[in-house]
Amino acid sequence: MGLSETTKTSLITGLALVAPLVVTLVAIQLVFSWLRGFLNPIIQSADLVALSGNNEIVAEVIALCILLAGIALLGYLAQRSVGIGLFSLLDRVIGLIPMVSVVYTSVRQVSNALM
């Protein structure tokens, strides 16, 4: 094997090792930036930066806890009789909206399959 063949093989091997790491880092960065888009309105409306001593990371953690608590509360209510009726009504209403119903129904089926 010559120098050019060794270089080519080494480059391909290096790319095969680095590519999954780069894709993973990009995916994590996308998830965090997407999550920050949800957290920023909570941080601003509750003025969490001021409450956390002007520490944005602490404010983001507090906002994440508030968001997770809200999601858990929704899940709790959805399991009770009032929540079951309310969320089934919401499902029916969303099912009447032409383009939204396709996306909502698909995502709903996937989430039901995962539960």
Side-chain angles (χ1 to χ4, degrees), residues 80-96:
R80 303 299 173 252
S81 62
V82 174
I84 292 171
L86 185 64
F87 286 108
S88 71
L89 175 66
L90 180 69
D91 278 345
R92 286 194 301 269
V93 169
I94 290 176
L96 297 174

Side-chain angles (χ1 to χ4, degrees), residues 11-96:
L11 181 62
I12 291 171
T13 303
L15 284 174
L17 292 173
V18 172
L21 179 62
V22 169
V23 169
T24 302
L25 291 175
V26 168
I28 289 172
Q29 183 180 18
L30 286 173
V31 167
F32 277 117
S33 65
W34 180 73
L35 184 60
R36 286 180 114 177
F38 284 110
L39 297 180
N40 282 338
I42 297 170
I43 293 169
Q44 292 172 355
S45 66
D47 200 20
L48 292 177
V49 175
L51 291 174
S52 65
N54 293 329
N55 190 336
E56 288 187 33
I57 294 174
V58 173
E60 288 175 354
V61 170
I62 293 170
L64 181 62
C65 291
I66 292 170
L67 183 65
L68 291 176
I71 291 170
L73 180 64
L74 275 175
Y76 177 79
L77 292 175
Q79 294 173 353
R80 303 299 173 252
S81 62
V82 174
I84 292 171
L86 185 64
F87 286 108
S88 71
L89 175 66
L90 180 69
D91 278 345
R92 286 194 301 269
V93 169
I94 290 176
L96 297 174

